[in-house]
């Protein structure tokens, strides 16, 4: 009420950022905290990409660029879509923003009218529902069960769609579950979408490169070219290229939508950082060989975490195909009391007590729209992960 806008009241602060900030504050007080709440690789940005950023500074490429990205980076993105997904986009069909988050935001802000519905498979990334609500839309969760590997069933998608549905927002490999889809599983979903021509598809492919055990990535417009005309394919450099701080995200899609998104950006942040854009050109056009090397390390960590969590009382942890998250159930701990006397009634109680008693920061499932679960990011050293899992085992073992 009063000074602040109504739209601000419709959203909450990002839970993942909130937990991580609380954990960092405890660490600053001298507590030994292991942060499993942060969604970013611990690996450094590859040297050739850093060098491209440094070269951009040295050569004075430090001025404004076109508001929605410079032509050199758009061409590198066109090349990436063609090379990796056989998707044909023209330069005019590409937009570049300050992180994937801004691109998703622009896509929704440019299209949502009050009352429009957005179908979001849940559990889902914390920001989707809040951005939809900020834009005046209504998030509609399509629930994905642990027994199904947290993958969306076609009939659940079909039931979630109404005449008011504007977008289907899709993300695989998924944050927070790591679930990834085979071509056949995606085709089953695109068959449903073909039946509903008024529904547009926003696919967030941010974790596309982070897949294990031989899984291959497919994106929606590639699996079903008939959806190309109503699909926004969103991606970014944060995760696979270890560039979270550089803030480069991008999308390919139909020209009128891309133009509308660029118009919004021209009146808000203007261009993404010019230095980051030049680093982005190198990321997309340069060597990609560090990606499988990093993935090997992530896979070892995933296996370690899944195995140790499944040896914790009351925890069940499925093994995901991709990303760097696991999404275990803590249902078996509900109703119990910690060694320090705290009652665990829900997943928020579980992560709060875990942080306070054992110094391990994880994010509660309610933040991702499905309880009673919690999310762990395993983008940390094996030693830290082992220690964190030992603490979780001790915490769960002491519950009464
Ligand atoms: C599913 C998903 N999409 C988008 C983003 C945004 O990434 P960025 O804005 O860093 O490019 C994230 C980051 O955590 C994410 O997990």
């Amino acid at each position: 009420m009063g000074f602040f806008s109504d739209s601000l009241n419709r959203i909450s602060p990002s839970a993942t950022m909130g937990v991580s900030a609380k954990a960092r504050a405890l660490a600053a007080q001298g507590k030994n905290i292991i942060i499993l709440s942060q969604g970013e690789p611990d690996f450094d940005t590859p040297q050739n990409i850093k060098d491209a950023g440094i070269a951009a500074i040295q050569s004075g490429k430090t001025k404004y660029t076109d508001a929605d990205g410079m032509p050199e980076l758009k061409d590198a993105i066109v090349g990436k879509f063609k090379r990796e997904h056989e998707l044909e986009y023209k330069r005019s069909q590409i937009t570049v923003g300050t992180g994937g988050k801004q691109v998703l935001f622009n896509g929704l802000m440019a299209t949502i009218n009050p009352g429009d519905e957005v179908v979001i498979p849940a559990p889902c990334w914390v920001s989707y529902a809040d951005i939809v609500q900020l834009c005046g839309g209504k998030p509609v969760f399509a629930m994905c069960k642990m027994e199904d590997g947290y993958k969306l069933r076609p009939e659940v998608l079909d039931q979630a769609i109404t005449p008011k549905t504007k977008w289907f927002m899709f993300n695989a490999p998924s944050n927070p579950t790591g679930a990834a889809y085979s071509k056949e599983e995606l085709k089953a979903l695109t068959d449903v979408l073909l039946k509903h021509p008024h529904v547009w598809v926003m696919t967030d492919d941010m974790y596309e490169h982070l897949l294990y055990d031989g899984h291959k990535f497919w994106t929606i417009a590639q699996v079903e070219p008939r959806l190309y005309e109503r699909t926004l394919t969103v991606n970014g450099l944060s995760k696979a290229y270890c560039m979270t701080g550089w803030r480069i995200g991008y999308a390919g899609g139909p020209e009128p939508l891309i133009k509308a998104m660029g118009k919004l950006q021209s009146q808000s942040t203007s261009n993404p950082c010019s230095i980051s854009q030049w680093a982005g050109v190198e990321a997309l056009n340069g060597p990609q060989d560090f990606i499988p090397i990093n993935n090997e390390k992530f896979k070892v960590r995933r296996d370690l975490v899944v195995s140790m969590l499944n040896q914790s009382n009351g925890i069940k942890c499925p093994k995901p195909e991709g990303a760097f998250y696991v999404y275990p159930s803590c249902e078996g701990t509900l109703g119990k009391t910690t060694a320090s006397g705290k009652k665990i009634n829900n997943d928020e109680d579980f992560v709060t007590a875990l942080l306070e008693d054992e110094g391990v920061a994880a994010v509660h499932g309610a933040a991702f729209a499905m309880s009673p679960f919690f999310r762990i990011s395993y983008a940390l050293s094996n030693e830290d992960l082992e220690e964190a899992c030992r603490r979780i085992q001790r915490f769960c073992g002491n519950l009464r």
Side-chain angles (χ1 to χ4, degrees):
M1 291 299 286
F3 184 64
F4 295 104
S5 76
D6 292 344
S7 53
L8 192 71
N9 291 330
R10 292 199 289 267
I11 61 170
S12 334
S14 160
T16 47
M17 291 186 176
V19 173
S20 303
K22 185 172 170 191
R24 280 194 298 271
L26 287 170
Q29 290 166 21
K31 300 229 165 78
N32 181 329
I33 306 288
I34 304 178
I35 299 183
L36 305 178
S37 51
Q38 201 122 287
E40 67 179 346
D42 54 325
F43 305 129
D44 201 2
T45 306
Q47 191 58 46
N48 61 311
I49 301 176
K50 288 188 191 175
D51 288 344
I54 293 165
I57 296 175
Q58 299 290 14
S59 59
K61 289 170 174 157
T62 52
K63 309 278 200 245
Y64 291 132
T65 72
D66 289 348
D68 68 345
M70 60 189 202
E72 292 84 349
L73 180 53
K74 288 187 179 178
D75 288 349
I77 294 164
V78 166
K80 175 257 180 321
F81 278 132
K82 172 92 185 117
R83 192 170 61 240
E84 296 183 6
H85 316 295
E86 296 152 46
L87 283 178
E88 300 278 355
Y89 288 116
K90 298 197 287 277
R91 193 193 278 173
S92 56
Q93 290 179 275
I94 303 294
T95 187
V96 187
T98 300
K101 201 176 210 170
Q102 186 182 24
V103 174
L104 295 164
F105 186 95
N106 287 345
L108 292 169
M109 194 71 180
T111 54
I112 296 283
N113 286 312
D116 283 348
E117 294 177 358
V118 177
V119 172
I120 306 173
C124 57
W125 184 43
V126 284
S127 294
Y128 291 155
D130 283 90
I131 300 175
V132 168
Q133 277 166 325
L134 190 62
C135 298
K138 182 178 161 207
V140 174
F141 295 118
M143 302 312 290
C144 307
K145 295 190 186 137
M146 184 167 79
E147 303 84 86
D148 296 330
Y150 299 116
K151 293 184 206 185
L152 180 62
R153 286 179 162 277
E155 64 274 18
V156 175
L157 171 60
D158 201 31
Q159 283 154 13
I161 293 173
T162 75
K164 288 186 178 168
T165 307
K166 186 149 237 170
W167 286 103
F168 169 53
M169 264 184 112
F170 185 70
N171 168 229
S174 150
N175 176 4
T177 65
Y181 292 68
S182 68
K183 188 179 185 187
E184 293 67 35
E185 286 166 337
L186 269 188
K187 188 76 188 66
L189 297 180
T190 60
D191 283 349
V192 173
L193 293 162
L194 282 176
K195 287 192 337 193
H196 301 281
H198 66 293
V199 177
W200 282 58
V201 183
M202 193 175 295
T203 176
D204 176 351
D205 299 348
M206 194 59 71
Y207 294 92
E208 61 158 332
H209 289 297
L210 306 180
L211 278 167
Y212 316 114
D213 309 325
H215 282 278
K216 180 172 162 26
F217 177 80
W218 297 88
T219 190
I220 287 191
Q222 174 188 23
V223 168
E224 181 44 86
R226 283 174 289 178
L227 291 176
Y228 174 88
E229 285 301 332
R230 50 182 168 113
T231 296
L232 184 70
T233 306
V234 181
N235 212 316
L237 303 180
S238 289
K239 312 290 175 171
Y241 295 91
C242 312
M243 293 177 71
T244 45
W246 297 76
R247 313 304 305 130
I248 295 291
Y250 59 86
E255 210 171 300
L257 173 61
I258 294 294
K259 250 180 119 170
M261 292 166 66
K263 181 172 158 188
L264 263 179
Q265 195 160 297
S266 76
Q267 293 295 14
S268 50
T269 57
S270 297
N271 64 274
C273 168
S274 62
I275 299 152
S276 299
Q277 290 193 66
W278 282 106
V281 172
E282 174 62 19
L284 292 175
N285 290 344
Q288 307 288 307
D289 47 348
F290 62 92
I291 295 177
I293 296 170
N294 288 353
N295 282 1
E296 247 337 284
K297 295 182 189 151
F298 279 138
K299 177 180 150 25
V300 170
R301 296 167 177 189
R302 176 200 62 174
D303 293 346
L304 171 100
V305 168
V306 169
S307 156
M308 287 188 76
L309 287 174
N310 278 323
Q311 292 164 44
S312 309
N313 282 346
I315 304 294
K316 264 196 209 143
C317 185
K319 189 190 272 192
E321 297 90 350
F324 40 67
Y325 306 106
V326 291
Y327 199 67
S329 159
C330 58
E331 194 173 6
T333 68
L334 301 187
K336 300 200 168 157
T337 304
T338 66
S340 60
K342 296 175 188 123
K343 183 90 191 273
I344 305 213
N345 291 317
N346 53 43
D347 49 28
E348 190 161 7
D349 291 346
F350 178 86
V351 298
T352 304
L354 183 63
L355 178 58
E356 290 171 359
D357 294 5
E358 291 287 357
V360 174
V363 187
H364 48 294
F368 306 100
M370 199 163 99
S371 293
F373 297 85
F374 59 106
R375 187 196 76 173
I376 278 180
S377 163
Y378 55 80
L380 255 74
S381 71
N382 295 16
E383 297 70 41
D384 279 351
L385 289 171
E386 249 179 79
E387 172 59 18
C389 290
R390 264 198 300 272
R391 293 186 194 181
I392 294 173
Q393 287 180 349
R394 182 168 61 206
F395 177 80
C396 293
N398 285 335
L399 293 174
R400 291 288 172 267

